[in-house]
């Protein structure tokens, strides 16, 4: 079978995998397509965390006997018992002739063992077909499963001249309706949403994903002195979306107790320069299985997050507006960079129009040691 044919069917499997976005975390998004005699006889994807994996659903949908067929899977089949039995064992049991895999699974419990088990059973295995596409689709999983640290996306909306608000503090709305809709979709895709206490005090946001059939992220507030008032929206509706407050030892123990009684989880971490140590916060949040975070902070928190090295991806929505004002805030404040040579480089950038806004997305380039 040609590489072109393999890539075609793997492309179909990747399209299926994307349907699981926002529903399978902390598992990866995986799609599977079964082909026999040049025809698709089964297909499926991982639809919900804790339920059947892509391979299971593909075999269930098969319109005929899968013996001698080829199965295309976007990620290496699992070889261990989790919430479901190993998919590698199921593939062997079904007597397929060939397995084509996109990316290998970096999970230490799998990490090549699934492929090896299938190959040892005498089944032909091809790996690396559209592997980059599969890894990018599961960038959250790829980081979290190996580091136990959340994948952090810094999102901001600004004017064409780089302002996130006017000099008087007015910021709603800089971006257009189409951009705001996409942001709400992103909230539903990621596990957590992070803001600073100043955003909570100023805007009193709900931080929910207000789209049909979309789950709400866990709301996370960085509040080093625990200044949050009890009347804030995000403290009132824990059944709708849970809230976590990350604070330091400057917090009043009695207030911590009061918040805990209301169902609010309060995490106390070390301080760094009199504020929450964001690296320590990420470790604590990762331990709670929060694999991904949308950072919707203000300029100061954005700078602190970038300086702490916790940001993986940036998303900028640029509106066709000019605001001006020397004191009008920009997306990143703080001390800033003294020398251009030390500026944080952005790589793998892509741009697109969303309504009238320009959407720019890219990744923080890390030094390879």
């Amino acid at each position: 079978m040609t590489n072109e044919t393999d890539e075609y069917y793997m492309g179909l499997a990747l399209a299926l995998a994307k349907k699981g976005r926002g529903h399978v975390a902390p598992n990866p998004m995986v799609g599977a397509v079964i082909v026999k005699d040049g025809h698709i006889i089964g297909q499926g994807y991982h639809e919900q965390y804790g339920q059947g994996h892509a391979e299971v659903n593909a075999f269930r949908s098969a319109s005929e006997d899968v013996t001698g067929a080829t199965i295309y899977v976007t990620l290496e089949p699992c070889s261990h018992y989790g919430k479901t039995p190993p998919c590698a064992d199921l593939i062997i049991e079904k007597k397929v002739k060939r397995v084509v895999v996109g990316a290998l699974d970096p999970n230490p419990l799998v990490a090549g063992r699934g492929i090896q088990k299938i190959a040892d059973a005498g089944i032909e295995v091809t790996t690396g077909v559209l592997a980059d596409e599969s890894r990018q689709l599961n960038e959250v999983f790829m980081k979290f499963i190996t580091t136990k640290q959340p994948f952090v996306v810094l999102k901001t909306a600004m004017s064409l001249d780089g302002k996130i608000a006017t000099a008087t503090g007015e910021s709603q709305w800089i971006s257009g309706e189409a951009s705001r809709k996409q942001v709400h979709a992103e909230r539903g895709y990621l596990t957590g949403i992070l803001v600073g206490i100043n955003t909570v005090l100023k805007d009193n946001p709900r931080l929910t994903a207000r789209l049909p059939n979309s789950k709400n992220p866990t709301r996370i507030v960085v509040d080093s002195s625990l200044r949050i008032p009890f009347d804030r929206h995000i403290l009132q509706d824990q059944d709708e979306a849970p809230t976590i407050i990350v604070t330091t030892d400057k917090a009043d123990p009695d207030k911590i107790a009061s918040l805990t009684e209301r169902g609010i989880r309060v995490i106390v971490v070390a301080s760094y320069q009199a504020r929450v140590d964001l690296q320590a916060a990420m470790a604590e949040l990762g331990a709670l299985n929060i694999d991904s975070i949308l950072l919707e902070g203000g300029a100061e928190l954005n700078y602190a997050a970038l300086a702490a090295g916790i940001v993986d991806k940036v998303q900028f929505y640029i509106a066709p507006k000019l605001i001006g004002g020397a004191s009008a805030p920009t997306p990143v404040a703080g001390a800033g960079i003294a020398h251009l040579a030390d500026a944080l480089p952005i790589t793998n950038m892509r741009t697109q129009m969303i309504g009238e806004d320009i959407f720019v997305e890219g990744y923080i380039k890390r030094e390879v040691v």
Side-chain angles (χ1 to χ4, degrees):
M1 192 170 289
T2 66
N3 289 336
E4 185 175 320
T5 301
D6 282 348
E7 289 183 359
Y8 171 76
Y9 288 120
M10 189 62 72
L12 296 180
L14 283 167
L16 286 169
K18 291 176 184 177
K19 293 183 177 182
R21 189 187 300 275
H23 302 289
V24 300
N27 283 352
M29 291 173 275
V30 183
V33 173
I34 304 172
V35 179
K36 188 173 184 180
D37 298 327
H39 301 287
I40 295 175
I41 63 169
Q43 52 188 333
Y45 66 98
H46 187 25
E47 300 177 16
Q48 195 76 37
Y49 177 70
Q51 297 183 11
H53 288 187
E55 299 93 324
V56 173
N57 292 331
F59 284 127
R60 283 175 180 165
S61 76
S63 58
E64 61 179 271
D65 183 11
V66 299
T67 301
T70 296
I71 183 169
Y72 293 83
V73 188
T74 58
L75 191 69
E76 178 182 2
C78 61
S79 56
H80 65 292
Y81 280 87
K83 288 186 174 295
T84 59
C87 290
D89 291 356
L90 179 63
I91 287 172
I92 294 168
E93 176 190 322
K94 294 294 185 178
K95 296 183 171 57
V96 300
K97 180 180 180 181
R98 182 170 178 250
V99 178
V100 182
V101 174
L104 297 183
D105 190 338
N107 185 345
L109 295 175
V110 183
R113 294 183 179 89
I115 292 299
Q116 190 61 51
K117 179 179 278 192
I118 293 168
D120 288 347
I123 298 171
E124 180 185 350
V125 177
T126 300
T127 62
V129 178
L130 300 186
D132 289 344
E133 289 84 346
S134 180
R135 280 191 289 266
Q136 184 170 17
L137 176 66
N138 284 302
E139 59 192 9
V140 167
F141 172 79
M142 295 289 177
K143 178 183 180 182
F144 185 70
I145 200 66
T146 54
T147 68
K148 298 304 178 185
Q149 299 279 317
F151 185 92
V152 178
V153 181
L154 187 158
K155 166 262 167 185
T156 191
M158 69 180 190
S159 62
L160 192 59
D161 57 340
K163 306 295 185 180
I164 61 172
T166 66
T168 61
E170 186 179 340
S171 61
Q172 297 182 343
W173 298 103
I174 288 179
S175 59
E177 184 177 348
S179 292
R180 296 197 298 273
K181 184 176 181 181
Q182 176 164 303
V183 171
H184 280 283
E186 193 76 7
R187 288 180 179 183
Y189 297 152
L190 302 181
T191 304
I193 181 169
L194 175 67
V195 298
I197 183 58
N198 289 333
T199 295
V200 175
L201 294 175
K202 175 178 175 289
D203 298 334
N204 193 18
R206 296 185 184 276
L207 302 180
T208 51
R210 294 183 285 277
L211 291 176
N213 303 317
S214 184
K215 69 172 181 61
N216 287 321
T218 296
R219 286 92 56 96
I220 307 162
V221 181
V222 174
D223 184 0
S224 59
S225 300
L226 208 57
R227 292 185 289 149
I228 190 168
F230 287 104
D231 65 352
R232 298 294 92 173
H233 288 316
I234 60 174
L235 300 184
Q236 311 307 316
D237 52 3
Q238 296 309 291
D239 291 338
E240 183 179 359
T243 298
I244 297 174
I245 301 176
V246 185
T247 189
T248 69
D249 58 9
K250 292 188 292 184
D252 178 356
D254 290 337
K255 191 168 184 179
I256 291 177
S258 296
L259 288 165
T260 302
E261 289 174 2
R262 294 169 179 243
I264 312 299
R265 183 187 288 268
V266 180
I267 299 173
V268 180
V269 301
S271 59
Y272 175 74
Q273 297 181 346
R275 296 185 177 182
V276 166
D277 183 327
L278 291 176
Q279 290 185 348
M282 292 303 108
E284 292 289 339
L285 293 169
L288 295 175
N289 238 18
I290 294 177
D291 65 348
S292 54
I293 290 173
L294 183 63
L295 172 58
E296 291 200 24
E300 293 292 339
L301 182 57
N302 287 346
Y303 174 76
L306 290 166
I310 67 169
V311 178
D312 298 285
K313 180 193 280 189
V314 295
Q315 294 179 337
F316 280 62
Y317 296 84
I318 305 171
K321 301 172 183 176
L322 298 174
I323 293 176
S327 62
T330 58
V332 182
I337 299 296
H339 305 286
L340 284 175
D342 297 325
L344 290 174
I346 306 299
T347 186
N348 295 337
M349 280 179 47
R350 73 177 183 92
T351 62
Q352 71 179 91
M353 296 299 299
I354 299 180
E356 295 183 344
D357 300 334
I358 301 170
F359 175 68
V360 182
E361 181 180 71
Y363 297 83
I364 303 292
K365 186 176 181 181
R366 306 293 186 195
E367 292 290 336
V368 178
V369 179

